[in-house]
Amino acid sequence: MSSFTNTFNTYNWDDTLQSIFSKTESDVLRALSNSKRNLEDFKALISPAAKPYLEDMAQLSRALTKKRFGNTIQMYSPMYLSNECQNICTYCGFSMTNKIPRRTLTDAEILKEVAYIKSKGYDHILLVTGEANKTVGVEYIKNALQLIRSHFSNITIEVQPLDQKDYEELIDNGLFAVLVYQETYHRDEYKKHHPKGKKSNFNYRLETPDRLGKAGIHKIGLGALFGLEDWRADSFFTALHLKYLQKTYWKTKYSISFPRLRPPILAV
Ligand code: SF4
């Protein structure tokens, strides 16, 4: 079955990085002036040669955003349903081996949170869970959607990657969008940071947006966790992924997030 993996496998990480670093000032100027930009233009804009043009890019980006959205900003509220997790991710506080109190909200607790979020005026919500099939599997998420769907205009989830049939079932129960971040597109580095649990399966995660597209989801959110590997290469592969998805599942809408790792701030 065709998926992004086929496209992805035709690229090499080091060659991609080298290609980004070889971009010149004239590549950057061409990319800035092009009315329609391709992936080579994107490489130029994230290359070291583009550093003096950050302000130009910011102005261009602002103009495009204004043209597309005007002054409208859409806000949503996250709601954490559970911090149970069966994965080990080296950078996450919810990681399975961390000795922390674990909680999963009951129906009554979910509705209490909903009442509070609604009282603050939010109409869009993001449901977040760790990846624990037994406690927060498809049935739990389906139940949460059924509980809250009448309260919100749209509901997004950021939970464990699922099979196509599961997504279809959740869409039938009011699911609007799914956020699924690849974390890093560098296979070996991915393995290092996700040594245990379902998330250690790089390809299953990589193909999640394909399963969502096939299930007919309204919107998919992509992203890489900047700080795990070279941010330029991870940005490029995120763009490549987006381009593939837009072409393949053209009815679906897309968003890109920029989660990033920051050095811990230690209390003094
Ligand atoms: S799967 Fe998600 S919640 Fe679980 S440890 Fe990894 S990043 Fe944290």
Side-chain angles (χ1 to χ4, degrees), residues 97-240:
T97 47
N98 286 348
K99 302 261 174 288
I100 55 165
R102 303 281 175 171
R103 279 286 306 277
T104 298
L105 298 190
T106 63
D107 288 3
E109 287 169 329
I110 292 173
L111 289 172
K112 198 174 162 200
E113 293 282 313
V114 164
Y116 183 78
I117 289 167
K118 289 301 290 185
S119 77
K120 296 291 172 192
Y122 287 97
D123 193 37
H124 295 181
I125 193 160
L126 168 68
L127 304 182
V128 188
T129 71
E131 300 193 7
N133 224 357
K134 278 192 195 134
T135 36
V136 285
V138 178
E139 281 312 308
Y140 180 87
I141 299 161
K142 190 169 121 186
N143 176 60
L145 289 172
Q146 288 167 349
L147 268 179
I148 71 169
R149 69 183 293 186
S150 63
H151 298 277
F152 296 97
S153 292
N154 78 47
I155 306 173
T156 300
I157 58 171
E158 189 177 341
V159 305
Q160 62 178 315
L162 299 168
D163 292 343
Q164 183 183 332
K165 65 172 176 26
D166 299 325
Y167 286 132
E168 285 164 355
E169 195 178 347
L170 296 179
I171 291 166
D172 287 345
N173 282 277
L175 179 63
F176 174 81
V178 174
L179 306 185
V180 57
Y181 306 143
Q182 186 58 30
E183 319 299 15
T184 177
Y185 288 83
H186 190 294
R187 271 185 195 277
D188 294 342
E189 209 56 33
Y190 182 95
K191 200 86 203 152
K192 249 192 248 169
H193 289 289
H194 309 98
K196 199 168 182 316
K198 203 172 153 192
K199 194 168 173 178
S200 61
N201 186 337
F202 181 92
N203 279 359
Y204 187 72
R205 195 165 187 93
L206 191 70
E207 290 172 1
T208 305
D210 275 288
R211 296 193 298 279
L212 281 161
K214 288 179 179 116
I217 191 82
H218 188 79
K219 188 175 169 186
I220 303 171
L222 305 175
L225 178 54
F226 293 132
L228 291 184
E229 243 296 336
D230 184 279
W231 67 265
R232 288 187 168 92
D234 265 329
S235 300
F236 171 78
F237 283 109
T238 306
L240 180 72

